[in-house]
Amino acid sequence: MPFIDKLKAKTPTLSYEFFPPKNPSGWGTLYSSLGTIARQAPDFVSVTYGAGGSTRQKTVELVGRIQSELGIETVAHLTCVGHSQSELRGILEQLEAAGVKTILALRGDRPKNDPTFTPHPEGFGRGCDLVDFIRQNFDFHIGCAFYPEKHPESSTVDLDIEILKAKQDVGADFAVSQLFFDNDTFYQFRDRAAAVGVTLPLIAGIMPVTSLSQLPRFSELGGSQIPAKLTDFLGEGSDEEIVPRGVEYAAAQCRDLIDNGVAGVHLYTLNKSVSSVKVTQALRASGHLPKVAAGK
């Protein structure tokens, strides 16, 4: 069943996120991870789009290869930062020709040399505008993003919810969250959004922690809160000691989310498969996701 139909049927989806490597050595790791992930029978994988479109062509090529060689439904990220409307149209036409059926439409991160973010004079300044452009000109399914703990540039969660509602109103079909470590923040966001008319499926973004050194970066770049229950659970130790604890914490998060009716679980992989696969296997073993058919 296509994942968009599973979302409509309120059947929890499983997905993973990857990014095009910046150097040749990273491609071997990526393809090895993709091969392992394919055996987990995901509903889709998504491929990110570098800041300012820096991985534009690699993203287009990668999503095409994943779909044609691995047979996995692939969602292509697309940001409007730094692009004119004609450039965006060209990228979307390439993705359409590659057989991609779903776009995750994003504003994208501000360039480091433009802290206030100045849109391209012939482009868009908001993710909402990109969603509208795609809906008006193409036949893709469209996803968007949201931050359960508030976008770093936003003044309030209520403003974030207002923006999410606007994306829904111009044609977004589903939304994927920034990573978070406290499920209560997700539930609170979901309830407040529902109260003002947000009805699109909200997929939870989860990342298994693999190193204590990751935590400050998660907080600095994405605004993710690092709750005491996470740091207490992880404790101290080497990366080898932290990895299984990170898997256990993420699996517990996912079980609770599925028990509470989440639309889907989206695992951020950092192009590595081990922890994400172990989380998936734990969810299948507990019955929170169906078993993979023999031969997968």
Side-chain angles (χ1 to χ4, degrees), residues 200-273:
L200 48 68
L202 302 181
I203 296 174
I206 301 296
M207 179 178 284
V209 176
T210 58
S211 171
L212 295 176
S213 64
Q214 293 175 314
L215 298 181
R217 186 170 176 82
F218 292 155
S219 181
E220 176 186 351
L221 294 182
S224 300
Q225 300 300 309
I226 309 300
K229 62 183 177 182
L230 171 61
T231 54
D232 290 346
F233 188 87
L234 294 175
E236 300 292 336
S238 65
D239 290 354
E240 289 74 16
E241 293 170 307
I242 296 301
V243 165
R245 299 174 202 161
V247 167
E248 187 175 349
Y249 188 93
Q253 268 194 281
C254 292
R255 285 193 293 268
D256 181 73
L257 287 160
I258 293 171
D259 285 342
N260 283 279
V262 72
V265 172
H266 188 68
L267 296 172
Y268 291 100
T269 69
L270 296 181
N271 285 10
K272 299 175 183 178
S273 61

Side-chain angles (χ1 to χ4, degrees), residues 3-4 7-8 44 73-78 92 100-107 127-145 164 166-176 200-203:
F3 86 89
I4 203 75
L7 290 175
K8 292 175 182 177
F44 70 92
E73 189 166 357
T74 309
V75 174
H77 292 217
L78 179 62
L92 288 160
V100 173
K101 298 187 182 303
T102 307
I103 304 295
L104 193 67
L106 312 164
R107 186 201 73 177
C128 183
D129 297 327
L130 179 57
V131 172
D132 189 35
F133 177 77
I134 297 171
R135 178 60 68 217
Q136 295 296 326
N137 293 280
F138 293 87
D139 193 29
F140 291 106
H141 300 303
I142 306 171
C144 60
L164 180 60
K167 293 174 184 177
Q168 173 183 289
D169 291 345
V170 296
D173 297 299
F174 66 96
V176 181
L200 48 68
L202 302 181
I203 296 174

Side-chain angles (χ1 to χ4, degrees), residues 2 6 17 21 28 30 36 40-41 61 95 107 114 137 149 180 202 212 224 233 247 289 291 293:
K6 290 186 73 171
E17 183 165 299
L30 171 60
T36 302
Q40 300 306 309
E61 293 170 359
L95 292 168
R107 186 201 73 177
D114 183 13
N137 293 280
E149 298 169 315
F180 60 92
L202 302 181
L212 295 176
S224 300
F233 188 87
V247 167
L289 290 175
K291 303 287 186 182

